[in-house]
Amino acid sequence: VSFPWQKREISNFDYLMYLNTLAGRSYNDYMQYPVFPWVLADYHSETLNLTNSNTFRDLSKPMGAQTVERKRKFIQRFNEVEKNLSAKCHYCTHYSSAIIVASYLVRMEPFTQTFCSLQGGSFDVADRMFHSVKSTWESASRDNMSDVRELIPEFFYLPEFLTNANHFEFGSMQDGTVLGDVQLPPWADGDPHKFIQLHRQALESDYVSAHLHHWIDLIFGHKQHGSAAVEAVNTYHPYFYGDKTDLNNIKDPLIKSTILGFISNFGQIPKQV
């Protein structure tokens, strides 16, 4: 049987939105917000070449395994399981959570207020705020062992979230840069509309169309948990698997509220589709 998506009758964007909806994810819930993949790995070139496979992120691997060195470290963590970690997993942080969503959209209301309330009433330290697409990619794919975040749908259709039209004062970074609009890759020519247009083209490109099913397996499919997830270096803290943690059987109210707090702050694995 050939499905509409395989026949290219619906776009990759629409298919991902459909899967997110099936998996119980919605714009109405920051904790289960639609999750979209990083599709590019090139945030430094003057022009974007969508016919070169090196332009793209490896969709068959989770964000924690995008480089050989990083993958090795996470496998090592899984195998060692330090005494203070209550569970055997590759990642103790998640690829989608309320704070990740709010941090991406912090330049727009009502997300500005949401971000501040999640942060305890104020903006974060400027260096930790979402300020550059390139540095966020480098953090999530290579540099920061506690950062494995993916993207949200807005990266593919909403230029407004990249500009500080409300002139919020986010402060200055350590190097003196005042935080304002999000810094875009050179190929976007400083134009949020061009960034969104090219980023959407990348999502709908032949390369992504041919490899997107691998990412879908990791997030929504059979590599989401169990032995296939271990093999794919794709296991998260057990609390992130909301439907696998039967809260009804947990009698201790403190443990129960800890787990609920954990899920609401740090994210939740989508329902398996």
Side-chain angles (χ1 to χ4, degrees), residues 43 59 85 147 154 171 173 217 260-261 263:
Y43 298 96
L59 286 157
L85 283 177
D147 182 3
E154 284 81 354
M173 290 163 48
D217 287 343
L260 284 170
I263 293 167

Side-chain angles (χ1 to χ4, degrees), residues 62-229:
M63 288 303 290
Q66 289 295 310
T67 70
V68 175
E69 176 58 16
R70 186 164 150 105
K71 181 179 176 182
R72 187 189 62 75
K73 284 184 186 161
F74 279 122
I75 291 172
Q76 190 180 357
R77 172 192 280 176
F78 182 88
N79 291 333
E80 284 172 0
V81 188
E82 290 154 23
K83 301 288 178 282
N84 58 357
L85 283 177
S86 57
K88 194 165 182 161
C89 60
H90 294 108
Y91 314 116
C92 299
T93 53
H94 199 256
Y95 49 77
S96 173
S97 66
I99 194 72
I100 290 171
V101 172
S103 70
Y104 281 145
L105 298 173
V106 71
R107 289 163 178 79
M108 295 170 59
E109 290 290 14
F111 303 97
T112 314
Q113 295 305 317
T114 305
F115 182 84
C116 288
S117 63
L118 287 168
Q119 277 291 338
S122 61
F123 294 124
D124 201 353
V125 179
D127 284 83
R128 286 207 300 262
M129 297 278 287
F130 171 53
H131 62 90
S132 149
V133 180
K134 178 173 181 272
S135 67
T136 303
W137 161 254
E138 287 169 351
S139 170
S141 66
R142 189 187 70 201
D143 297 340
N144 183 348
M145 289 290 282
S146 61
D147 182 3
V148 292
R149 77 190 111 162
E150 293 278 8
L151 299 182
I152 53 175
E154 284 81 354
F155 272 85
F156 300 94
Y157 68 82
L158 189 72
E160 287 77 11
F161 88 98
L162 297 163
T163 58
N164 186 19
N166 293 320
H167 307 294
F168 292 116
E169 292 186 12
F170 298 117
S172 301
M173 290 163 48
Q174 281 177 333
D175 65 4
T177 309
V178 177
L179 236 61
D181 298 346
V182 176
Q183 292 164 14
L184 302 174
W187 45 258
D189 297 328
D191 178 352
H193 289 85
K194 185 171 181 183
F195 172 82
I196 295 291
Q197 182 193 359
L198 288 171
H199 203 216
R200 183 66 170 261
Q201 277 178 22
L203 178 66
E204 303 300 341
S205 67
D206 289 343
Y207 179 90
V208 172
S209 298
H211 295 86
L212 187 58
H213 63 283
H214 295 303
W215 184 83
I216 290 168
D217 287 343
L218 294 168
I219 307 296
F220 301 107
H222 74 286
K223 293 184 180 174
Q224 194 194 65
H225 55 79
S227 58

